[in-house]
Amino acid sequence: CRAQTDSVQQPGGDVTAAEGDSVTLGCHFNSSTSNYYLFWYKQEENNRPMFILNRFKTGAGTTAEEFKERFSSSLDSNSRSVPLTIQNLHVSDSAVYYCALQP
Ligand SMILES: *[C@@H]1O[C@H](CO)[C@@H](O)[C@H](O)[C@H]1NC(C)=O
């Protein structure tokens, strides 16, 4: 066994897609603890990050009302990933998306 540190890793670079398409943004994580929470945030230019959703290792997470319709994610603790899928893309989805881990 090797001690894991708490970290997340998102693929670098921009994702380009057309209006109406779907995209999936990757997020892999390691955690030093056996239970953890993963969060996704959206940050538009000159704005603070907005909470989209969280997912727990055990039990359901929550999704902010304004994102419920088109944003989804499921945490896979085996592959330690929590990809964010956005359906039916709108131009206003253009932003920086952050994945975050809380041990
Ligand atoms: C998780 O830990 C492994 C082994 O130390 C490392 O190879 C991998 O890059 C780490 N992944 C993340 C998301 O930090």
Side-chain angles (χ1 to χ4, degrees), residues 1 25 67 92 94 101:
C1 264
L25 308 177
F67 294 107
S92 59
S94 294
L101 167 79

Side-chain angles (χ1 to χ4, degrees), residues 41-52:
Y41 292 92
K42 172 186 182 182
Q43 187 168 28
E44 297 177 279
E45 214 174 333
N46 301 321
N47 259 308
R48 65 187 174 81
M50 285 183 296
F51 169 77
I52 302 172

Side-chain angles (χ1 to χ4, degrees), residues 35-78:
N35 203 3
Y36 39 75
Y37 311 92
L38 270 300
F39 296 76
W40 275 100
Y41 292 92
K42 172 186 182 182
Q43 187 168 28
E44 297 177 279
E45 214 174 333
N46 301 321
N47 259 308
R48 65 187 174 81
M50 285 183 296
F51 169 77
I52 302 172
L53 56 78
N54 60 13
R55 294 292 179 263
F56 304 151
K57 189 188 173 190
T58 51
T62 58
T63 304
E65 200 57 46
E66 60 188 298
F67 294 107
K68 270 188 179 153
E69 204 180 307
R70 297 184 300 111
F71 291 66
S72 59
S73 182
S74 52
L75 192 161
D76 183 343
S77 50
N78 292 320

